[in-house]
Amino acid sequence: MKSSSFVHGLQAAGIVTVLIGIGHTAFHRIFGWKRAFASMSSLNAKVFTTIHIATTLFLLLVGALTLRYSELLSQSTEPASVLCVALSLFWSWRLLWQLAYFKPSQVEHNSRLLILHYILTLFFAFLAMAYGAPVAGRLWRA
């Protein structure tokens, strides 16, 4: 695979990551958090909201940085490799978590959530591969 293929894969990964970040802004509607927050303590609701906002901002930032620096991330430098491996491991973990923790049988009654489950599973698998591909390609050539 040529380096330009890695660049295009990383650009796509940046777009997908930004889309996931944007999708996080709709979680409160999708999952009915207003109702859920009413039944928990104010402190727990604030902690939950803080973690969610931080995750959303992190995804948007990582996606934007991946888009901006996709060419640098595709190069065989140590910082690029470390960052790509770290992001590939993160998305691999997220894929496994999606498959093990959010089982389709838990959302079968809601077709929208079931579709979301499968879309996220595909996104996470793609992201793990897109970030891992430049490093795997370098190792394969070595």
Side-chain angles (χ1 to χ4, degrees):
M1 193 180 288
K2 291 183 179 178
S3 179
S4 65
S5 297
F6 296 139
V7 172
H8 295 308
L10 288 165
Q11 289 169 338
I15 291 168
V16 170
T17 304
V18 167
L19 289 174
I20 293 171
I22 291 169
H24 270 249
T25 64
F27 273 25
H28 66 285
R29 286 189 312 274
I30 294 169
F31 299 110
W33 284 358
K34 185 175 185 176
R35 189 173 7 117
F37 284 179
S39 66
M40 70 172 65
S41 73
S42 175
L43 179 60
N44 282 341
K46 287 179 180 180
V47 168
F48 194 84
T49 300
T50 300
I51 292 168
H52 181 72
I53 290 171
T55 301
T56 302
L57 292 173
F58 176 77
L59 290 167
L60 293 171
L61 180 65
V62 167
L65 290 172
T66 298
L67 276 168
R68 171 65 179 88
Y69 297 107
S70 57
E71 193 165 320
L72 287 174
L73 288 171
S74 73
Q75 295 175 5
S76 60
T77 64
E78 186 175 354
S81 295
V82 168
L83 191 56
C84 282
V85 166
L87 289 169
S88 181
L89 288 172
F90 171 79
W91 289 115
S92 295
W93 167 83
R94 188 58 186 87
L95 171 63
L96 293 173
W97 192 260
Q98 185 71 24
L99 294 172
Y101 196 69
F102 297 106
K103 296 182 179 7
S105 61
Q106 296 171 328
V107 292
E108 285 176 342
H109 61 281
N110 187 327
S111 60
R112 289 174 55 202
L113 289 179
L114 191 59
I115 291 168
L116 180 61
H117 167 78
Y118 289 116
I119 289 170
L120 289 174
T121 298
L122 290 173
F123 276 177
F124 300 150
F126 166 75
L127 289 166
M129 289 186 289
Y131 283 109
V135 178
R138 287 190 286 276
L139 291 173
W140 187 268
R141 282 180 265 177

